[in-house]
Amino acid sequence: MKKNSLYKGTLQNIILKLLSKEVKMYGYQITQRAKELTQGELEMTEGALYPLLHKLEDDGIIKSEIQKINGRDRKYYLLTEKGLQQQVVKENEMKNYLLNLTTIFNI
């Protein structure tokens, strides 16, 4: 997380949302999509991303699959059924959180 530490607590939600829209993504693709969507504001480091991906996989929220691309193995991550349900719950929590912040900061 280079630019904004406020994103740190929301990385799991961001990853789940990206995977719900893109179906499956590899690590670098996740970092680049987040950076693109935030116009460079969110620069996810490998040190922040991969431990979280491993935790989500251990918890059964995501799974990985390896595909050969140009003769090299590439590890893709995708949501499990549990992950799809978790994503909906986390997205609703995040929307409530953002609504509350908007209310507070607009006083």
Side-chain angles (χ1 to χ4, degrees):
M1 219 64 56
K2 292 181 182 176
K3 287 197 173 189
N4 195 334
S5 63
L6 291 175
Y7 288 108
K8 189 174 184 179
T10 62
L11 278 186
Q12 179 176 325
N13 295 357
I14 292 167
I15 291 167
L16 294 178
K17 182 63 177 182
L18 290 175
L19 289 175
S20 76
K21 291 297 179 192
E22 303 289 336
V23 181
K24 67 181 181 180
M25 302 174 82
Y26 55 96
Y28 181 75
Q29 186 179 21
I30 292 169
T31 63
Q32 293 308 296
R33 186 70 177 130
K35 186 175 180 180
E36 174 190 327
L37 288 169
T38 61
Q39 299 174 339
E41 284 297 312
L42 174 55
E43 293 186 23
M44 236 183 277
T45 63
E46 288 182 11
L49 176 66
Y50 287 103
L52 186 51
L53 288 173
H54 295 167
K55 180 188 180 317
L56 291 170
E57 191 167 17
D58 289 345
D59 292 345
I61 294 170
I62 64 173
K63 63 183 179 179
S64 61
E65 62 182 39
I66 306 230
Q67 289 185 343
K68 278 227 184 282
I69 306 292
N70 297 326
R72 294 178 50 194
D73 287 343
R74 181 175 283 167
K75 190 174 192 178
Y76 285 90
Y77 298 93
L78 52 155
L79 294 175
T80 61
E81 187 60 41
K82 178 181 177 181
L84 289 167
Q85 294 168 4
Q86 182 81 356
Q87 189 279 319
V88 171
V89 168
K90 291 294 185 184
E91 184 171 343
N92 287 332
E93 287 175 2
M94 184 59 64
K95 286 178 179 178
N96 259 351
Y97 174 72
L98 291 172
L99 180 63
N100 289 330
L101 284 180
T102 301
T103 300
I104 290 168
F105 284 99
N106 283 333
I107 58 172

